[in-house]
Amino acid sequence: MASYKPVAVLPFPRLGEKVTQDTLYWKGYKTPVQIKEFGAVNKIDFSPVPPHNYAVTASSRIHIYGRYSQEPIKTFSRFKDAAYCATYRDDGKLLVAGSEEGNVRLFDIGGRAALRQFDGHTKAAHVVDFLSDKYRIFSGADDYTSKLWDIPSSSEIVSYSEHTDYVRCGCTSKLNADLFVTGSYDHTVKVFDARTEKSALTIEHGHPVESVLLFPSGGLLVSAGGRYVKVWDILKGGYLLVSLKNHHKTVTCLCLSSSGQRLLSGSLDRHVKIYSTTSYKVVHSFDYAASILSLALAPEDETIIVGMTNGVLNVRHRKHEENKERIPKKRHPAYRTFVKGRNYMPKQEDFFVSKPVRNHLKKYDKLLKSFQVSKALDAVLEVPIRVYTPEITVAVMQELSRRGTLKNALAGRDEKQLGTLLTFLTRHVVEPRFAPVLINVAEMIIDIYLSVAGQSAVVDKQFMRLQEVIEKEIDYQGELLETLGMMDALFATMTSKKVTSLENKSNGISKVVEQDTRN
Amino acid sequence: MVVQEQLRVVRCGGSKLNGSRAVFSADAKYLLCASGDYVKVYSTATEECIHILQGHTNLVTGIQLNPQNHLQLYSCSLDGTIKLWDFTDGILIKTFVVGYKIFAFYSLAGSDDSGFVIIPKNNEEASDSFQLVLVRLTKAPGQEVETKELSLILDDIDHSPKCTAFGREGEYVASVRGLHLSVYFFKKKMTHRFPLSARTVKGANNYFTCVACHPKEDCIASGHKDGKIRLWRNFTHNKEYTFSAMHWHHNAVMDLAFTVEGTNLLSGGLESVLVQWRDGSESKKEFLPRLGSTIEHISVSPDGTLCCTSHAENKITIIQSNLRVSAVIQGLVKGSSVKTGLVVDPRTKALVLNGKPGHLQFFCLQSDKQLYNLDIVQQEYIHQAGLSQTDLVKAAFSAQGNWLATVEQRQEKESDLELQMKLWAYDEQMQSFKLNTRINMPHEDHLTALCFRDTDGVEDGIPTLVTAAKDGRFKVWVFMDESDTDKQSVGWICDFVGSYHNYQANNCCFSEDGSLLAVSFEEIVTVWDSETWDLKCTFCHPPGKIWSLCFGRLICSKYLLGTTDHGFLCCWNLLSCALEWSAQLGVIVLQPDPLSENIAAVSCISEDSDLFVFRPNEPRPLCIQRKVCRGKVQCAVFIPRNVPEAVGSEKYQWLSRSQLYFLTAMQELMTFSTKSPEVRLTPSSKQLAVEESLPMTPFYLLLGKHREQQQLKKDADIGKAVVHSHSAQSSPAVKELLHTPAHVLPSAAFLCSTFINTLLISKENKSNGEVADEVEMESEKAEDESDEDIDHTATEEDPKLTELWGEMTPKLSKSQEKELRKIRKTDYSWISAL
């Protein structure tokens, strides 16, 4: 016949964000190191060669930091005004930087003074980079032009003035030495070929472009501007692949993870979002104390550095797996006790008698089966269940109320037992998942123990706390309702437009019915 | 035949099994129980129904074996007759007409020509006063005998057969009513009455509920409303009687029974626990818990091996004497109300409805048998009066039967409502439904409707479910298979929530191709596009809320039908978005046929329900059937037939592909049939004739098949004359083998080849051993026959002999020679015998 059915404990969804591979990966960083700079950090660039020092451009200085150093190893500070966009060459020996006065300077990592200075921009040069042949530099400036410079001769090769607003970002192709991309505040991204006089491609981003990024393959281009991050397929002539709107303020910087699988974007809304480059969904996100201006990722994702408007440099280093000391396990019966006879191969003439699987009931189920309601409630009010799996306690309470014996189970408790019960209530009564059951329990307890109120100071104190918690919750709910009402009013004003969309309903219907008849 | 075809309302499926105590046959091989107007004979080993004894014209109230002949059965009925049956063959032997409504019948071993019946006093049921009378069961010849000789034994007794019991060897009869136990002694012809006080000390409630007498001693056991069992002794003296009380039941004792030897007392009640009291002592008791539902009757087999309990959920449990359940005979479970309505499982074509508490029963109407129970609530059921239990309120299947959605609710007070929706996926391996998703509180208020979208026509259609609720919302749930991503989750999530001016959503319905969803919000029907969930248009029929909704099917798919609570049946055209027609019929149930354009509407204007079958595009209904049943029809459903039935009349063409079943206010399941009752019954009775009482073991099946094959062969080969004698002979070898005790048989290896040969369906189909046996038998038989038959038998034997010698003699000429020789031999033997 039917056997006893154990109490069904409702599985509640885990609160908080879901744990994915990405969360685990991006959470594997140590607590950040904060370094104070003199002004807003506008660029961070890692040296491509080990030991992967990084150059930080802030205010009128360029600091070079070692990987784990808190103090700069080296400083380039001979700028009259702000310096911009200090960038390493591929071999890590040269560094180029733009400046507020418009000149572009080239530094040797070992030296102090500039090796070359390229004059020609009339306004601040915000973006500079080496082309991948190592001998040319491109620069973009607020005078709407972008120029190409020859390093050996320190002369201007070509100048493009197609943009109609400040050129604030750009990047070079790693595959083709002649290709580079610039993004401008005129809402466009242009792809230039050094061999031609004109831009090869123009892409309309729709917002002032703050950052551009080419994928290592050179086929995809990412542009950031306004709240949008857009991915374009260059090989298709600038076809928009996807438009991401995950930030609520301007996106300022972009960065690819070393594997190329993840795209990072930093924004003035103080968040760094990490996207998967296959699904273009946000897989993880970091938040920071201030608006983010620059972002860099060390090779192998060893370090994430974020520069913010308040001049703070936030450095996170990856945790390395240390071999944890194995805690000696408790001694259990030997393994062979369990597998005894398991690998016995039955002979042909053997009869196989299968043993019925025995269901082991939990302690509270055993007690409920024999109708010992008070003891069952005691069993679920023990510390491990009450603290770690409150849902079991609540499920048993619900089962008791279903059986109509909750009152019996709650009655006849001493000061200590009532104390634990009340602590449990104060802790969980406002949780929406438990509230319907626990409110019922609380009412019953008050009914039962009303006559003995005032006899125990401890219990009275608990009751007062319960009252406080509930009052707080009522206030909170009231506020929520107010907010909801306000939102409803707002939505009501917004939806007046919708009438127009409903007018052509007859059209829609006939279309649907046409389908019907076809079927 | 065609002209006479008439539409009739037929009761079908799952009549009540628990109306009275079931009776075991003397050898405990059969269990007999009264079921409505019939008596059913079940095999205790296989749970199979073997015979249905039909003949009473009203409810059968009691059955009892004839104490003189254990193969006969007495049954009594409210139609005022007592019938004597031969239950092994299912033949009515005799009918005794008493002329009063009979509520119980008892017959005693000692008096073979008399019985005792309980009839209403002054023949008025309303008087609520009954009497036990003695009737003469005369042995006069004739099928129908009137018995008018009645002599009063006990007056003012309870009508329930449980409240009267006959004592040891029929010396006395005990009857209980209210607070009195009356014992009548036949020898002394006097009555003793033992009153109990009505005082309710400590909540005691001394009212009697049932009584049983010890078969060997002077001891009466009585059950009481408060769960006490009292054992009365020494009651031959009016004053010096004693009783002892035993108390375990917390609710009324429903029935009591002593085992054959009287050593044990069995009791049962609402707790659905069978309690066995040893030697009448309170300390020695054993329990068989969780029998499912209230035990209403207990009976014990005469040989003491089995006992059975009849339960409130239309079930009989057969229990061995060691308190192990050996078999369960389950009828259609009828709860107090069928909340889920009638649903069809598309896979098995079974009728699905509420079963026992918290379960969904799958009932096969073709075989009138419960297929299985699905435990939906999965909670321990506490049998206690006054508890608000979790009810199963809604169930729906997807079009292919791959998904089942169920909703259960429990409401103790106005404020707290517990709702749970469960979605079950069909598991091919388990051949059953498996819980996939559990949704807590899908809505904030009672659910009113749920329906699946039919996704057959749609490519890569995602299973979609819509629920409508009183909280003014309808929700769309879709199945999300996210097993490819990191998270291994396969379940249902809410996709869309719609509402219309916060009106209560009363019903919802998908169009046949799943492209449109209609949801009724009080007085307004809204139509939504199921791709984008945009509101397309609204319909209404001003005074009156819309209750039921359905889309037309096939060529009528442009119509949407709805009924209002003002009794209007409205049909809207979806192409013109206008009302096509409406009619005031007082429609309460609207049910479309899944296989045709027909729609059945049941209306109830006055007391009786009428049925209309119509097509939305035709002005005249196809069929109108007035006065289908008394009271309101609860729900109806079309069940597709496996094989389309040939219906002669044009008018009843709508019955050919699917059958309409409906549930009346009395919770009776009815259907429509055009066939006359005789025709309808033939297939079942034919089946009964063939079916034997043997348990259907695989072995039996093998042999049965073998025998059938043989018979067919004989039919073809030889004339019909031989068939009977032969079928009787073909088995003796096997029979002997099966019936001889194992220790006297030769070794199995020796017998094996012979035995296996008998099972083979060979061309010559006989092994030597068996044929030899047969020839012997045949000759013996032949000897008994008269001279005239000699020639005839000789000719009969010819073909058989051909077979016999066929193996040895490949050539025909030789065989013929041997035949002749053989014939000569047999001839000689006969001559000698003569």
Side-chain angles (χ1 to χ4, degrees):
Chain A
M1 224 39 230
S3 56
Y4 174 81
K5 290 170 197 158
V7 176
V9 178
L10 293 182
F12 285 100
R14 293 241 163 255
L15 299 176
E17 58 188 63
K18 288 161 209 147
V19 178
T20 58
Q21 284 303 105
D22 278 287
T23 355
L24 293 178
Y25 184 80
W26 295 107
K27 280 231 165 125
Y29 288 94
K30 294 177 193 166
T31 43
V33 177
Q34 310 264 8
I35 302 170
K36 181 77 183 137
E37 288 290 334
F38 292 102
V41 181
N42 62 54
K43 175 78 178 178
I44 304 160
D45 193 39
F46 271 96
S47 162
V49 292
H52 302 304
N53 296 334
Y54 55 93
V56 175
T57 320
S59 181
S60 61
R61 287 156 206 245
I62 299 166
H63 288 299
I64 308 239
Y65 290 90
R67 187 122 164 247
Y68 294 106
S69 67
Q70 302 253 12
E71 294 295 320
I73 302 171
K74 197 166 175 69
T75 305
F76 300 100
S77 57
R78 296 202 178 162
F79 291 96
K80 287 190 190 105
D81 208 335
Y84 295 111
C85 199
T87 310
Y88 277 102
R89 198 167 79 167
D90 271 356
D91 54 6
K93 285 179 180 160
L94 294 180
L95 191 74
V96 70
S99 71
E100 186 65 41
E101 53 266 41
N103 51 30
V104 176
R105 293 181 198 189
L106 184 70
F107 298 94
D108 180 13
I109 289 299
R112 191 161 286 275
L115 287 177
R116 296 274 191 283
Q117 181 162 337
F118 308 100
D119 295 309
H121 284 299
T122 54
K123 281 188 178 160
H126 272 272
V127 56
V128 286
D129 203 353
F130 291 95
L131 291 183
S132 54
D133 64 359
K134 299 181 186 171
Y135 304 119
R136 285 181 290 176
I137 292 167
F138 99 85
S139 66
D142 285 357
D143 58 3
Y144 310 167
T145 61
S146 41
K147 293 177 193 281
L148 222 51
W149 311 89
D150 184 35
I151 298 173
S153 63
S154 81
S155 61
E156 183 184 314
I157 301 169
V158 66
S159 173
Y160 301 97
S161 51
E162 289 188 19
H163 282 294
T164 54
D165 207 333
Y166 301 155
V167 179
R168 281 288 168 90
C169 57
C171 67
T172 57
S173 167
K174 295 273 181 291
L175 294 176
N176 189 324
D178 293 317
L179 269 185
F180 66 95
V181 182
T182 56
S184 155
Y185 276 14
D186 64 359
H187 301 190
T188 59
V189 176
K190 286 182 189 282
V191 182
F192 292 98
D193 190 332
R195 294 162 293 194
T196 57
E197 292 293 312
K198 289 201 147 186
S199 63
L201 188 67
T202 306
I203 291 164
E204 192 69 37
H205 178 82
H207 294 272
V209 183
E210 295 282 354
S211 180
V212 288
L213 185 75
L214 269 173
F215 268 65
S217 66
L220 294 182
L221 174 73
V222 189
S223 63
R227 295 166 58 194
Y228 294 86
V229 174
K230 296 187 178 182
V231 185
W232 312 87
D233 191 342
I234 309 181
L235 301 178
K236 274 192 183 172
Y239 168 79
L240 178 65
L241 265 186
V242 69
S243 172
L244 307 168
K245 189 182 157 192
N246 294 94
H247 288 283
H248 59 265
K249 278 187 185 166
T250 304
V251 183
T252 51
C253 47
L254 292 170
C255 170
L256 269 181
S257 77
S258 55
S259 63
Q261 297 291 308
R262 298 285 180 267
L263 174 71
L264 288 83
S265 68
S267 154
L268 295 181
D269 66 2
R270 301 183 287 123
H271 285 280
V272 170
K273 305 253 174 191
I274 301 166
Y275 310 86
S276 157
T277 52
T278 46
S279 65
Y280 292 106
K281 291 252 167 66
V282 175
V283 293
H284 193 71
S285 127
F286 293 110
D287 54 339
Y288 289 92
S291 299
I292 296 161
L293 285 182
S294 53
L295 169 71
L297 213 56
E300 305 304 318
D301 302 341
E302 285 297 319
T303 315
I304 300 177
I305 304 172
V306 162
M308 289 173 278
T309 46
N310 59 0
V312 173
L313 200 63
N314 187 306
V315 184
R316 284 163 178 261
H317 293 289
R318 177 164 282 283
K319 272 183 212 160
H320 284 280
E321 294 298 313
E322 293 137 33
N323 287 336
K324 282 175 195 160
E325 288 289 306
R326 292 253 171 243
I327 305 154
K329 264 191 166 176
K330 256 197 216 163
R331 273 186 70 86
H332 284 300
Y335 178 65
R336 63 171 185 277
T337 332
F338 296 113
V339 296
K340 197 183 276 174
R342 282 286 162 85
N343 50 2
Y344 175 77
M345 288 298 289
K347 295 190 186 85
Q348 206 166 20
E349 63 267 24
D350 284 349
F351 284 102
F352 188 73
V353 181
S354 58
K355 211 166 82 180
V357 182
R358 245 187 93 195
N359 287 335
H360 289 280
L361 291 178
K362 292 266 162 45
K363 193 182 170 192
Y364 57 86
D365 268 330
K366 276 183 195 156
L367 292 165
L368 280 176
K369 190 182 172 184
S370 52
F371 292 87
Q372 303 186 47
V373 288
S374 280
K375 281 188 183 162
L377 189 59
D378 287 341
V380 291
L381 281 173
E382 278 165 15
V383 172
I385 294 179
R386 165 165 57 106
V387 175
Y388 300 109
T389 51
E391 60 266 22
I392 291 179
T393 313
V394 175
V396 169
M397 283 175 175
Q398 189 171 15
E399 171 71 16
L400 289 174
S401 105
R402 201 172 65 80
R403 293 176 171 213
T405 48
L406 183 56
K407 208 155 199 166
N408 306 3
L410 290 172
R413 291 180 177 265
D414 60 20
E415 188 183 64
K416 200 178 153 203
Q417 286 173 316
L418 191 58
T420 46
L421 206 53
L422 284 170
T423 329
F424 182 78
L425 278 182
T426 29
R427 206 157 144 191
H428 296 289
V429 76
V430 293
E431 279 182 46
R433 51 185 182 158
F434 300 145
V437 181
L438 291 185
I439 287 171
N440 198 359
V441 172
E443 278 174 358
M444 277 189 184
I445 289 181
I446 291 166
D447 282 351
I448 295 167
Y449 296 100
L450 191 65
S451 53
V452 291
Q455 287 184 9
S456 155
V458 185
V459 171
D460 287 352
K461 210 170 136 194
Q462 297 268 24
F463 271 118
M464 296 308 284
R465 271 188 54 205
L466 183 62
Q467 192 189 0
E468 264 172 48
V469 168
I470 290 170
E471 275 169 6
K472 220 185 206 170
E473 179 67 16
I474 291 169
D475 289 346
Y476 183 52
Q477 293 288 342
E479 276 173 40
L480 280 179
L481 280 177
E482 277 172 29
T483 321
L484 217 59
M486 282 190 265
M487 279 163 70
D488 274 347
L490 284 174
F491 286 134
T493 55
M494 283 163 69
T495 47
S496 57
K497 286 179 209 159
K498 218 173 176 183
V499 179
T500 49
S501 69
L502 279 178
E503 273 174 1
N504 54 7
K505 63 188 173 184
S506 54
N507 236 339
I509 274 291
S510 58
K511 213 186 289 166
V512 172
V513 175
E514 268 167 36
Q515 284 176 0
D516 273 10
T517 43
R518 242 182 285 141
N519 290 341
Chain B
M1 183 69 199
V2 176
V3 185
Q4 289 164 358
E5 219 164 52
Q6 269 269 325
L7 191 65
R8 298 180 321 111
V9 179
V10 195
R11 191 181 296 171
C12 74
S15 47
K16 215 172 167 207
L17 293 176
N18 55 350
S20 67
R21 275 185 195 156
V23 169
F24 282 99
S25 67
D27 53 359
K29 272 189 180 167
Y30 305 106
L31 180 74
L32 302 111
C33 69
S35 161
D37 301 357
Y38 311 131
V39 177
K40 287 189 174 171
V41 185
Y42 287 94
S43 160
T44 52
T46 62
E47 313 167 14
E48 207 66 37
C49 179
I50 295 160
H51 289 297
I52 299 175
L53 310 180
Q54 309 179 4
H56 283 291
T57 53
N58 206 335
L59 191 72
V60 178
T61 49
I63 50 174
Q64 194 169 18
L65 286 185
N66 185 356
Q68 273 73 45
N69 184 347
H70 288 301
L71 298 176
Q72 291 180 349
L73 176 83
Y74 281 113
S75 69
C76 68
S77 157
L78 291 182
D79 64 2
T81 58
I82 300 165
K83 285 180 195 279
L84 184 65
W85 308 85
D86 179 345
F87 64 82
T88 46
D89 295 328
I91 302 165
L92 175 64
I93 298 171
K94 213 162 194 179
T95 306
F96 302 97
V97 180
V98 178
Y100 300 102
K101 283 192 173 179
I102 304 171
F103 287 87
F105 173 82
Y106 308 91
S107 74
L108 295 178
S111 52
D112 55 342
D113 59 343
S114 61
F116 301 89
V117 293
I118 295 177
I119 56 169
K121 206 174 184 176
N122 309 328
N123 205 10
E124 286 171 19
E125 214 179 326
S127 67
D128 196 33
S129 162
F130 296 86
Q131 51 194 8
L132 182 73
V133 295
L134 178 81
V135 290
R136 292 263 158 242
L137 303 175
T138 49
K139 288 192 169 165
Q143 271 285 335
E144 211 166 299
V145 184
E146 294 232 357
T147 49
K148 289 292 171 200
E149 289 176 57
L150 304 176
S151 50
L152 180 71
I153 304 287
L154 270 175
D155 204 356
D156 192 29
I157 59 167
D158 201 289
H159 73 276
S160 165
K162 285 191 280 191
C163 292
T164 305
F166 283 81
R168 176 168 65 98
E169 283 145 23
E171 284 186 357
Y172 57 90
V173 57
S175 183
V176 293
R177 178 181 165 89
L179 285 164
H180 290 279
L181 167 70
S182 332
V183 183
Y184 177 82
F185 296 93
F186 288 102
K187 279 186 183 153
K188 291 187 269 178
K189 297 207 186 301
M190 59 185 290
T191 312
H192 289 176
R193 280 170 77 83
F194 306 101
L196 280 176
S197 63
R199 279 182 302 130
T200 52
V201 185
K202 289 189 226 157
N205 188 342
N206 285 334
Y207 280 90
F208 285 97
T209 54
C210 53
V211 70
C213 291
H214 198 289
K216 300 282 185 244
E217 297 166 29
D218 279 338
C219 173
I220 298 171
S222 64
H224 298 263
K225 275 224 168 121
D226 58 353
K228 278 206 186 79
I229 296 167
R230 285 191 168 85
L231 289 176
W232 303 74
R233 288 171 201 280
N234 206 16
F235 44 81
T236 44
H237 310 283
N238 212 347
K239 298 274 183 261
E240 293 151 28
Y241 66 91
T242 56
F243 65 76
S244 58
M246 304 187 292
H247 202 173
W248 181 85
H249 294 278
H250 64 74
N251 251 308
V253 181
M254 296 293 282
D255 202 5
L256 285 171
F258 276 103
T259 51
V260 181
E261 291 302 311
T263 47
N264 297 341
L265 175 67
L266 300 166
S267 68
L270 179 72
E271 306 86 357
S272 76
V273 180
L274 183 69
V275 188
Q276 186 174 26
W277 308 82
R278 281 268 171 85
D279 310 324
S281 68
E282 183 146 22
S283 53
K284 288 188 212 161
K285 53 181 183 283
E286 288 171 51
F287 304 103
L288 179 62
R290 280 182 278 281
L291 283 171
S293 66
T294 308
I295 295 172
E296 294 197 327
H297 305 279
I298 302 171
S299 48
V300 184
S301 75
D303 64 354
T305 52
L306 298 174
C307 67
C308 77
T309 53
S310 310
H311 297 265
E313 58 174 35
N314 207 7
K315 178 174 89 171
I316 298 177
T317 312
I318 299 170
I319 299 160
Q320 290 165 356
S321 54
N322 57 356
L323 291 187
R324 286 259 175 82
V325 173
S326 74
V328 175
I329 296 166
Q330 175 79 64
L332 182 67
V333 184
K334 284 171 186 168
S336 51
S337 63
V338 178
K339 288 183 175 154
T340 55
L342 300 177
V343 190
V344 183
D345 176 17
R347 208 172 271 273
T348 55
K349 306 272 189 298
L351 189 69
V352 179
L353 65 161
N354 281 123
K356 48 186 183 178
H359 287 64
L360 206 57
Q361 61 175 331
F362 289 65
F363 192 84
C364 182
L365 288 159
Q366 273 79 32
S367 57
D368 192 17
K369 215 174 154 183
Q370 193 181 55
L371 295 179
Y372 61 97
N373 256 316
L374 187 64
D375 186 1
I376 301 291
V377 173
Q378 297 181 333
Q379 275 176 342
E380 178 79 352
Y381 186 80
I382 304 296
H383 300 272
Q384 192 177 322
L387 276 187
S388 71
Q389 306 283 2
T390 313
D391 284 330
L392 185 62
V393 289
K394 292 270 179 279
F397 285 92
S398 67
Q400 294 299 304
N402 293 329
W403 289 100
L404 164 67
T406 59
V407 179
E408 63 209 52
Q409 71 176 35
R410 192 178 85 95
Q411 189 163 29
E412 202 156 353
K413 287 174 274 175
E414 265 312 298
S415 54
D416 52 31
L417 173 74
E418 286 169 29
L419 266 184
Q420 239 181 45
M421 182 158 82
K422 284 177 180 163
L423 287 136
W424 307 76
Y426 190 78
D427 191 332
E428 292 283 352
Q429 279 187 334
M430 281 165 55
Q431 291 287 305
S432 178
F433 285 94
K434 211 171 141 191
L435 184 61
N436 178 276
T437 309
R438 173 162 45 191
I439 298 160
N440 237 345
M441 293 304 283
H443 283 272
E444 277 153 37
D445 209 338
H446 296 275
L447 253 82
T448 51
L450 75 167
C451 62
F452 275 98
R453 182 160 78 154
D454 189 351
T455 48
D456 306 339
V458 191
E459 275 184 29
D460 68 78
I462 307 162
T464 309
L465 172 76
V466 172
T467 56
K470 283 188 182 164
D471 62 355
R473 293 194 170 88
F474 74 89
K475 292 190 182 178
V476 181
W477 308 85
V478 292
F479 178 64
M480 289 298 279
D481 193 348
E482 287 181 353
S483 50
D484 52 330
T485 59
D486 308 329
K487 204 173 50 137
Q488 294 281 323
S489 78
V490 183
W492 289 73
I493 55 165
C494 187
D495 186 46
F496 179 75
V497 182
S499 65
Y500 191 80
H501 295 286
N502 271 338
Y503 290 143
Q504 287 187 1
N506 283 332
N507 212 330
C508 61
C509 172
F510 270 108
S511 67
E512 192 187 6
D513 61 350
S515 61
L516 286 181
L517 168 72
V519 184
S520 70
F521 290 95
E522 299 194 355
E523 297 173 3
I524 296 154
V525 182
T526 55
V527 179
W528 306 72
D529 183 352
S530 67
E531 287 298 316
T532 55
W533 303 117
D534 284 335
L535 181 63
K536 287 292 178 191
C537 63
T538 58
F539 298 115
C540 67
H541 195 267
K545 295 176 181 172
I546 307 285
W547 282 117
S548 39
L549 260 186
C550 74
F551 278 93
R553 305 184 75 90
L554 305 174
I555 58 164
C556 298
S557 58
K558 61 179 175 181
Y559 297 106
L560 172 66
L561 292 120
T563 63
T564 68
D565 61 352
H566 279 62
F568 278 98
L569 173 65
C570 311
C571 176
W572 291 283
N573 190 332
L574 292 168
L575 293 173
S576 61
C577 291
L579 185 69
E580 192 87 359
W581 52 263
S582 71
Q584 189 162 19
L585 291 170
V587 173
I588 45 173
V589 175
L590 192 67
Q591 187 68 35
D593 181 359
L595 296 179
S596 65
E597 297 90 357
N598 302 328
I599 292 173
V602 182
S603 77
C604 183
I605 294 173
S606 55
E607 278 191 343
D608 298 319
S609 294
D610 305 326
L611 172 82
F612 299 87
V613 180
F614 62 95
R615 293 186 178 186
N617 58 346
E618 285 172 19
R620 295 173 63 83
L622 292 172
C623 171
I624 301 174
Q625 181 83 4
R626 298 273 174 197
K627 294 204 171 61
V628 163
C629 69
R630 291 186 63 78
K632 281 188 177 180
V633 168
Q634 302 286 307
C635 41
V637 70
F638 273 103
I639 297 187
R641 289 183 201 269
N642 290 334
V643 182
E645 200 179 63
V647 179
S649 165
E650 185 70 26
K651 196 179 166 192
Y652 304 125
Q653 211 46 237
W654 61 276
L655 273 173
S656 70
R657 297 188 66 188
S658 40
Q659 205 168 1
L660 182 68
Y661 287 86
F662 63 92
L663 204 66
T664 65
M666 303 297 292
Q667 304 290 330
E668 274 178 303
L669 192 65
M670 310 280 231
T671 187
F672 292 97
S673 170
T674 54
K675 288 176 183 163
S676 55
E678 297 77 42
V679 179
R680 210 175 65 84
L681 286 173
T682 39
S684 61
S685 45
K686 196 174 170 187
Q687 182 195 352
L688 292 175
V690 172
E691 214 161 24
E692 282 182 53
S693 55
L694 280 174
M696 288 287 263
T697 56
F699 202 57
Y700 167 78
L701 281 175
L702 250 174
L703 278 176
K705 196 185 247 175
H706 169 60
R707 219 172 290 161
E708 263 172 48
Q709 290 267 359
Q710 271 191 341
Q711 205 147 339
L712 280 174
K713 207 175 164 62
K714 288 285 116 56
D715 277 345
D717 285 358
I718 321 160
K720 286 242 160 110
V722 201
V723 175
H724 293 289
S725 63
H726 193 79
S727 66
Q729 291 161 4
S730 66
S731 52
V734 179
K735 217 174 228 172
E736 202 171 14
L737 184 72
L738 293 177
H739 287 271
T740 320
H743 60 94
V744 295
L745 277 177
S747 78
F750 179 77
L751 284 174
C752 184
S753 61
T754 327
F755 180 67
I756 295 298
N757 272 330
T758 64
L759 300 179
L760 284 177
I761 309 160
S762 64
K763 261 183 197 160
E764 304 302 335
N765 97 1
K766 286 275 158 356
S767 74
N768 293 335
E770 202 189 337
V771 173
D773 212 340
E774 257 173 58
V775 171
E776 266 175 41
M777 297 279 293
E778 192 104 343
S779 55
E780 273 168 29
K781 204 180 162 103
E783 276 166 18
D784 295 341
E785 285 175 47
S786 60
D787 300 20
E788 297 100 75
D789 284 4
I790 291 176
D791 294 1
H792 182 55
T793 35
T795 48
E796 271 173 27
E797 289 211 7
D798 286 354
K800 206 165 297 160
L801 292 169
T802 325
E803 279 170 24
L804 171 62
W805 300 107
E807 287 167 323
M808 299 175 184
T809 56
K811 282 173 190 173
L812 231 150
S813 60
K814 269 189 178 179
S815 74
Q816 277 175 335
E817 276 179 37
K818 284 184 179 175
E819 268 171 48
L820 286 169
R821 226 177 288 158
K822 187 79 187 177
I823 291 166
R824 230 178 291 146
K825 270 181 196 167
T826 47
D827 278 345
Y828 285 140
S829 69
W830 288 332
I831 290 161
S832 68
L834 284 164

